Amino acid sequence: MLKTISPQWKRFNLSLLSSVTLALSLSSSAQTALQVILPGTIQKALGGKEWDPAGEITRMLEVGPDLYEFIAAFPKGNYEFKVAIGGGWSVNYGADGKAGGDNIKLAVNNDQTIVRFLFDNKTKILKDSLNQAAEVK
């Protein structure tokens, strides 16, 4: 029987026999990865509840030490969001990486525009492929 396990949206295909017990140990980076969410009006555009700091629909994945990524296709529109860490509002970053700062704005000019977001947890700066196209490809 083939089973798919998807922790943190990464897929692992495992062939399992019914009489075999499997213990899966995640790497230390997966075990310590922060819950980094992009709460805001972008969540509603993707089918979720907007301004939800625990909303899995905009959860970022750790792609390197202290570097998180989220990629999605958006409908045409103007959006606002922040970066929330830990599933609540006690730790959040807005424009220019400021703690509790102003909302980050995103203008999407065409339907189904793919946007890549990168958050550096060391600098607390979030960049995206529309606002910082030269830096985020």
Side-chain angles (χ1 to χ4, degrees):
M1 163 169 49
L2 182 69
K3 292 194 177 187
T4 301
I5 302 172
S6 302
Q8 301 293 323
W9 299 32
K10 295 180 182 174
R11 301 201 185 281
F12 301 93
N13 289 319
L14 305 172
S15 295
L16 302 175
L17 299 174
S18 60
S19 62
V20 175
T21 301
L22 176 69
L24 179 62
S25 174
L26 297 176
S27 70
S28 61
S29 66
Q31 292 172 354
T32 60
L34 295 174
Q35 181 186 22
V36 180
I37 305 288
L38 300 177
T41 58
I42 64 173
Q43 291 172 306
K44 186 174 182 181
L46 298 174
K49 176 183 165 193
E50 66 181 37
W51 294 108
D52 181 1
E56 290 291 317
I57 198 158
T58 54
R59 184 176 186 145
M60 302 188 84
L61 299 176
E62 187 173 27
V63 294
D66 285 316
L67 185 63
Y68 293 80
E69 175 183 66
F70 177 74
I71 300 171
F74 286 89
K76 181 179 179 178
N78 293 307
Y79 305 100
E80 294 186 12
F81 64 97
K82 290 189 176 204
V83 177
I85 296 178
W89 287 109
S90 61
V91 180
N92 76 85
Y93 301 95
D96 300 319
K98 293 182 182 171
D102 293 338
N103 296 343
I104 302 166
K105 299 188 185 316
L106 182 72
V108 178
N109 294 324
N110 299 302
D111 280 335
Q112 297 304 308
T113 297
I114 296 173
V115 183
R116 180 179 183 218
F117 301 86
L118 290 175
F119 175 68
D120 184 329
N121 193 39
K122 288 182 183 175
T123 64
K124 310 305 183 198
I125 299 288
L126 182 124
K127 296 179 181 180
D128 67 71
S129 59
L130 294 182
N131 292 316
Q132 294 87 15
E135 299 174 59
V136 181
K137 303 209 187 257

